[in-house]
């Protein structure tokens, strides 16, 4: 049943998009173990691999499922056809299902470019906003604010269906890097939510460089508030293994501004506290991150100034301008921006 797997195995399993593809390819009634093992071995998040009774690696349901980057346009067409309920061959569905990867409900697939693995995030056939362009623009903005980001770029940018390409940060060439989500790190199950200060508690005992990660996480919290990120839940924070029983925050990912969203965070700032998207609450919590209030105020002011100054240019470079960009303005210019500037 769902949630029957330990968190570390659940991190390596497909989420909504991948599960839907696997049901289409192999039928309903799949067990959690089948969801896990029918996904392509090359694409699983992290470094876990699974063996059969003979000790052989379980590679998934389709041979050579991971498409090449040069086939991106064809894979985009298959994903769009599946999403619209059109006829798609079993071979194509199995290939797309195997390469679907972990996390989220939006269409995606892993693709190879030489020995590098990328996550291709497709424009949905039902999108009313330029979501993939905005994600790339927001990652670039995060990098400009000093946040560690994965290598990312836009492909098929001159078409109506651009693709956000995110290089997999749990791979180094052919090597796999162990990965856990913050949800797994905190031992959360079911519908349990969590808090940034709980993530800090985990880092205090497990991080290779706790104070550096405290500062990085605080900066990400500020950025999340200032860009109205709607996706800061515990599965969207993660850790990479660095050896000797120690972990490090992974690069930031899945940062999605939402101008029309209720101003709440998926992850509370303080354990047991409100989920309000509030710069003042973040500032009050700075001591948990071992950051002096004076430094926290400076970080907030500088980040707010850069976001306010550069978000339009970041959008324009990603191909979002005019009325499409104006629709996102409330995500970047709001009461939290004003509060931040006056701290």
């Amino acid at each position: 049943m769902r949630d029957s797997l330990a968190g570390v195995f659940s991190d390596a399993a497909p989420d909504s998009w991948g599960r839907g593809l696997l049901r289409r390819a192999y039928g309903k009634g799949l067990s959690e173990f089948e969801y896990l093992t029918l996904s392509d071995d090359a694409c699983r998040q992290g470094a876990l691999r699974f063996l059969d009774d003979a000790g052989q690696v379980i590679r998934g349901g389709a041979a050579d499922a991971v498409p090449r980057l040069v086939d991106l346009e064809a894979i985009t067409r298959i994903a769009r056809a599946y999403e619209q309920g059109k006829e798609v061959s079993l071979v194509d569905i199995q290939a797309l299902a195997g390469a679907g990867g972990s996390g989220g409900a939006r269409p995606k697939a892993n693709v190879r470019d030489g020995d590098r693995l990328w996550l291709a995030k497709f424009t949905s056939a039902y999108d009313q906003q330029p979501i993939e362009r905005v994600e790339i623009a927001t990652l670039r903005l995060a990098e400009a604010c000093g946040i560690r980001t994965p290598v990312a770029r836009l492909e098929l940018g001159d078409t109506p269906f651009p693709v956000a390409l995110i290089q997999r940060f749990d791979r180094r060439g052919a090597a796999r890097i162990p990965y856990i989500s913050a949800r797994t790190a905190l031992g959360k199950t079911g519908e349990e939510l969590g808090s940034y200060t709980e993530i800090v508690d985990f880092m205090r005992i497990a991080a290779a460089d706790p104070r550096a990660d405290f500062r990085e996480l605080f900066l990400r919290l500020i950025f999340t508030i200032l860009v109205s990120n709607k996706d800061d839940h515990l599965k969207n924070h993660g850790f990479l293994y660095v050896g000797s029983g120690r972990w490090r925050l992974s690069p930031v990912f899945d940062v999605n501004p939402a101008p029309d969203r209720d101003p709440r965070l998926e992850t509370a700032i303080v354990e047991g506290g409100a989920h309000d998207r509030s710069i003042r609450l973040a500032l009050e919590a700075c001591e948990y991150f071992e950051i002096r209030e004076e430094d926290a105020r400076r970080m907030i002011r500088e980040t707010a100034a850069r976001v306010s100054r550069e978000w339009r240019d970041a959008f324009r470079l990603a191909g979002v301008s005019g009325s499409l960009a104006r629709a996102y303005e409330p995500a970047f210019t709001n009461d939290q921006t004003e509060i931040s500037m006056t701290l």
Side-chain angles (χ1 to χ4, degrees), residues 190-326:
E191 300 299 317
E192 284 185 279
L193 301 177
S195 66
Y196 283 87
T197 57
E198 287 176 276
I199 299 175
V200 168
D201 288 340
F202 170 78
M203 294 191 298
R204 188 168 282 116
I205 61 172
D209 188 348
R211 295 200 67 177
D213 274 357
F214 295 165
R215 193 174 189 85
E216 172 82 12
L217 185 64
F218 186 71
L219 183 56
R220 294 184 192 188
L221 168 59
I222 294 166
F223 187 79
T224 278
I225 293 169
L226 291 172
V227 303
S228 306
N229 175 28
K230 67 177 181 179
D231 268 349
D232 73 316
H233 56 77
L234 291 178
K235 291 278 279 186
N236 281 348
H237 297 281
F239 294 91
L240 295 171
Y241 189 65
V242 296
S244 303
R246 296 292 169 177
W247 299 81
R248 186 189 188 192
L249 268 175
S250 73
V252 73
F253 60 96
D254 281 3
V255 183
N256 295 294
D260 56 349
R261 180 175 177 266
D262 180 53
R264 289 175 59 80
L265 298 170
E266 293 291 325
T267 299
I269 295 174
V270 178
E271 184 177 4
H275 283 250
D276 296 352
R277 196 177 72 217
S278 166
I279 282 292
R280 293 197 187 281
L281 287 179
L283 178 60
E284 290 172 7
C286 68
E287 64 182 276
Y288 288 96
F289 297 80
E290 298 187 10
I291 297 173
R292 295 184 308 164
E293 183 177 333
E294 179 183 351
D295 290 339
R297 288 177 181 272
R298 178 183 51 76
M299 290 171 69
I300 291 169
R301 288 195 305 271
E302 290 177 355
T303 305
R306 186 172 290 273
V307 168
S308 180
R309 186 172 64 245
E310 297 185 12
W311 76 267
R312 292 178 183 82
D313 286 341
F315 269 47
R316 180 178 50 78
L317 290 172
V320 183
S321 58
S323 61
L324 289 175
R326 286 193 295 274

Side-chain angles (χ1 to χ4, degrees), residues 100-116:
S102 305
R106 290 186 58 77
K108 67 181 73 65
N110 284 272
V111 295
R112 286 195 183 282
D113 184 19
D115 65 348
R116 293 178 179 171

Side-chain angles (χ1 to χ4, degrees), residues 150-162:
V151 177
R153 69 177 191 266
L154 201 68
E155 288 285 332
L156 307 181
D158 57 350
T159 75
F161 299 99

Side-chain angles (χ1 to χ4, degrees), residues 72-116:
L72 190 58
E73 198 163 357
I75 296 299
T76 301
R77 285 197 298 269
I78 295 169
R80 195 160 65 248
Y82 161 74
E83 193 180 20
Q84 294 173 313
K86 295 180 179 178
E87 188 65 31
V88 182
S89 74
L90 181 60
V91 171
D92 283 342
I93 280 291
Q94 287 180 337
L96 192 60
S102 305
R106 290 186 58 77
K108 67 181 73 65
N110 284 272
V111 295
R112 286 195 183 282
D113 184 19
D115 65 348
R116 293 178 179 171

Side-chain angles (χ1 to χ4, degrees), residues 37-199:
T37 56
L38 286 171
S39 296
D40 190 86
D41 170 71
C43 299
R44 290 194 193 100
Q45 194 158 281
L48 289 177
R49 307 186 78 182
F50 303 93
L51 310 180
D52 62 20
D53 291 343
Q56 299 299 308
V57 173
I58 300 172
R59 298 195 176 276
D64 300 320
V66 188
R68 297 173 302 161
L69 181 59
V70 293
D71 299 325
L72 190 58
E73 198 163 357
I75 296 299
T76 301
R77 285 197 298 269
I78 295 169
R80 195 160 65 248
Y82 161 74
E83 193 180 20
Q84 294 173 313
K86 295 180 179 178
E87 188 65 31
V88 182
S89 74
L90 181 60
V91 171
D92 283 342
I93 280 291
Q94 287 180 337
L96 192 60
S102 305
R106 290 186 58 77
K108 67 181 73 65
N110 284 272
V111 295
R112 286 195 183 282
D113 184 19
D115 65 348
R116 293 178 179 171
L117 194 63
W118 298 74
L119 183 64
K121 304 176 80 169
F122 305 122
T123 298
S124 170
Y126 305 105
D127 281 346
Q128 300 298 309
Q129 295 175 309
I131 291 174
E132 307 313 327
R133 295 182 188 275
V134 168
E135 180 169 2
I136 293 297
T138 308
L139 284 174
R140 289 172 178 164
L141 189 60
E143 184 178 24
C145 291
I147 295 170
R148 289 190 295 109
T149 60
V151 177
R153 69 177 191 266
L154 201 68
E155 288 285 332
L156 307 181
D158 57 350
T159 75
F161 299 99
V163 178
L165 270 187
I166 316 293
Q167 189 170 325
R168 289 279 298 268
F169 50 69
D170 58 343
R171 298 291 189 271
R172 189 174 295 116
R176 305 177 185 221
I177 304 171
Y179 172 89
I180 55 172
S181 68
R183 184 174 185 268
T184 292
L186 301 185
K188 301 292 185 180
T189 58
E191 300 299 317
E192 284 185 279
L193 301 177
S195 66
Y196 283 87
T197 57
E198 287 176 276
I199 299 175

